[in-house]
């Protein structure tokens, strides 16, 4: 099969990660979670006492951490300075600060360079998921998908199977998602946005297998057109 680059963008809770990993595995492609890279650099900043609310301080040190991403969709991995960061980058603290760090232009330039290098090295092709892949990182991607879903559906997915104060947990998760969307969509550098030539897929009422089937069909259609 000819190499193919697939860009999957969209806000949190739309099923990007699960869909991207499954599509990459099914089609024999590499996989890259770009959000994990921004989380990794945010975690490094917090761990090293950098004031993440000071863009100048963040910009001054963003070139220091060594971030390495595994591209196996069945076992995605990420390390910072040689240490496994897969767990630490998913904490609430990192989640609440990643938008501020990722808005710094120097950070985006650094991480975008890493992402493009990884995509260029993927011999069989790659599925890259994020928020600015089709618009900024890989504007020449062969297939561009933009996943969407209602805030309610996204919050429910993020919260998982809630127990106890279900309504409060769901409401707080929904509000957090909306705040992050606003921050990521309004930033000056590489905002969250749908590429003009991307296919929009609303996952609100779709099961994960249905979303995967839809994206795989779009990729295979592109390959057949070649």
């Amino acid at each position: 099969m000819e190499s193919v680059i697939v860009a999957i963008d969209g806000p949190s809770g739309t099923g990007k990660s699960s869909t991207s990993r499954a599509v990459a595995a099914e089609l024999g492609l590499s996989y890259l979670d770009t959000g994990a890279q921004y989380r990794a650099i945010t975690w490094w900043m917090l761990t090293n006492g950098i004031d993440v609310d000071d863009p100048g301080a963040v910009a001054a040190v963003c070139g220091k951490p060594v971030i390495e991403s595994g591209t196996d969709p069945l076992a995605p991995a990420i390390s910072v300075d040689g240490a496994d960061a897969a767990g630490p980058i998913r904490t609430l603290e990192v989640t609440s600060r990643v938008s501020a760090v990722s808005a710094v232009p120097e950070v985006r330039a650094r991480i975008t360079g890493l992402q493009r290098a990884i995509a260029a090295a993927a011999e069989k092709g790659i599925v890259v998921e994020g928020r600015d892949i089709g618009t900024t990182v890989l504007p020449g991607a062969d297939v561009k998908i933009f996943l969407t879903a209602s805030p309610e559906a996204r919050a429910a997915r993020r919260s998982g199977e809630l127990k106890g104060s279900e309504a409060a947990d769901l409401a707080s998760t929904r509000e957090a998602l909306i705040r992050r969307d606003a921050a990521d969509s309004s930033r000056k550098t590489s905002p969250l946005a749908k590429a003009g030539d991307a296919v929009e897929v609303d996952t609100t009422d779709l099961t994960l297998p249905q979303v995967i089937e839809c994206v795989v069909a779009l990729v295979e259609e592109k390959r057949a057109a070649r």
Side-chain angles (χ1 to χ4, degrees):
M1 279 290 187
E2 187 177 349
S3 174
V4 63
I5 292 179
V6 183
I8 300 183
D9 289 308
S12 301
T14 55
K16 281 201 313 288
S17 294
S18 299
T19 298
S20 298
R21 287 198 306 270
V23 168
E26 185 168 334
L27 296 175
L29 305 175
S30 295
Y31 160 75
L32 178 60
D33 175 1
T34 64
Q37 294 177 315
Y38 284 105
R39 285 175 170 273
I41 199 166
T42 300
W43 173 65
W44 183 91
M45 296 279 174
L46 294 169
T47 302
N48 285 275
I50 307 302
D51 181 0
V52 297
D53 292 320
D54 181 347
V58 170
V61 297
C62 68
K64 290 186 176 182
V66 177
I67 299 171
E68 295 184 333
S69 300
T71 58
D72 180 353
L74 300 179
I78 187 159
S79 67
V80 181
D81 293 339
D84 180 14
I89 66 171
R90 300 297 172 182
T91 63
L92 287 174
E93 183 182 23
V94 171
T95 298
S96 67
R97 312 312 290 273
V98 67
S99 286
V101 173
S102 62
V104 176
E106 290 83 355
V107 170
R108 297 209 74 82
R110 162 94 198 280
I111 301 298
T112 294
L114 288 177
Q115 293 163 359
R116 288 174 175 163
I118 291 170
E123 294 182 2
K124 295 181 180 179
I126 191 169
V127 177
V128 183
E129 62 146 308
R131 292 170 174 246
D132 65 340
I133 310 307
T135 55
T136 302
V137 180
L138 299 168
D142 301 296
V143 180
K144 298 180 186 178
I145 311 290
F146 192 85
L147 299 185
T148 65
S150 70
E152 291 73 21
R154 294 165 52 209
R157 290 168 185 165
R158 269 297 156 107
S159 298
E161 294 297 322
L162 294 176
K163 308 281 184 182
S165 57
E166 204 163 314
D169 287 347
L170 198 58
S172 62
T173 301
R174 180 180 182 277
E175 291 306 311
L177 286 173
I178 291 174
R179 283 197 302 273
R180 184 171 178 196
D181 288 348
D184 289 352
S185 300
S186 61
R187 66 177 176 237
K188 293 182 179 180
T189 305
S190 302
L192 163 65
K194 175 188 170 186
D197 53 349
V199 177
E200 183 170 319
V201 178
D202 188 332
T203 69
T204 302
D205 298 316
L206 299 178
T207 63
L208 178 58
Q210 287 174 325
V211 179
I212 294 166
E213 181 181 4
C214 174
V215 175
V216 167
L218 288 169
V219 177
E220 292 184 330
E221 180 182 328
K222 180 66 177 182
R223 279 176 161 173
R226 286 177 170 180

